[in-house]
Amino acid sequence: MKINVTDAASKWFREDMGMTGRGVRFFGKVYGKTPVHDGFSLGMTPDDHPRHPIVAEKKDDVTYYITEGDQWFFVGYDLTIDYDAKTDGPVYIYDDNGELDK
């Protein structure tokens, strides 16, 4: 399980969200749909104090992470965070990392 942040997404988080020097936590939440979970969607929140992160990626002075309690949502996938100019926001790509094949 990894988090990858593209340059375009990093710029959006820093410039549009003001996240420089801060942290962003990603988590699974009830309701919605993703390409890998029906009935659940991906949430994010500013959180500068990670508690039990299982994976983190620091890019351009912003720390992106997932905590132990949300591991269930990401098992088997790497998360790529990109930017979509059309919606002017992040887009999430779930890449099969082979963990489910073990």
Side-chain angles (χ1 to χ4, degrees), residues 37-52:
H37 293 293
D38 195 16
F40 296 92
S41 59
L42 178 68
M44 69 164 176
T45 189
D47 189 340
D48 300 335
H49 305 288
R51 287 170 284 296
H52 308 290

Side-chain angles (χ1 to χ4, degrees), residues 2-59:
K2 296 187 304 187
I3 297 175
N4 304 297
V5 182
T6 67
D7 292 342
S10 175
K11 180 179 178 186
W12 183 82
F13 275 97
R14 287 181 288 111
E15 294 180 3
D16 288 20
M17 297 294 293
M19 296 306 298
T20 301
R22 303 202 55 205
V24 180
R25 179 172 56 93
F26 295 95
F27 57 94
K29 62 182 187 174
V30 178
Y31 302 115
K33 185 175 180 172
T34 68
V36 296
H37 293 293
D38 195 16
F40 296 92
S41 59
L42 178 68
M44 69 164 176
T45 189
D47 189 340
D48 300 335
H49 305 288
R51 287 170 284 296
H52 308 290
I54 57 165
V55 64
E57 173 69 24
K58 189 166 188 170
K59 182 168 181 141

Side-chain angles (χ1 to χ4, degrees), residues 24 32-35 45 50 59 66 69 71 75 80 83-84 91 94:
V24 180
K33 185 175 180 172
T34 68
T45 189
K59 182 168 181 141
I66 299 164
Q71 182 174 0
V75 167
T80 297
Y83 170 76
D84 181 356
V91 61
Y94 302 85

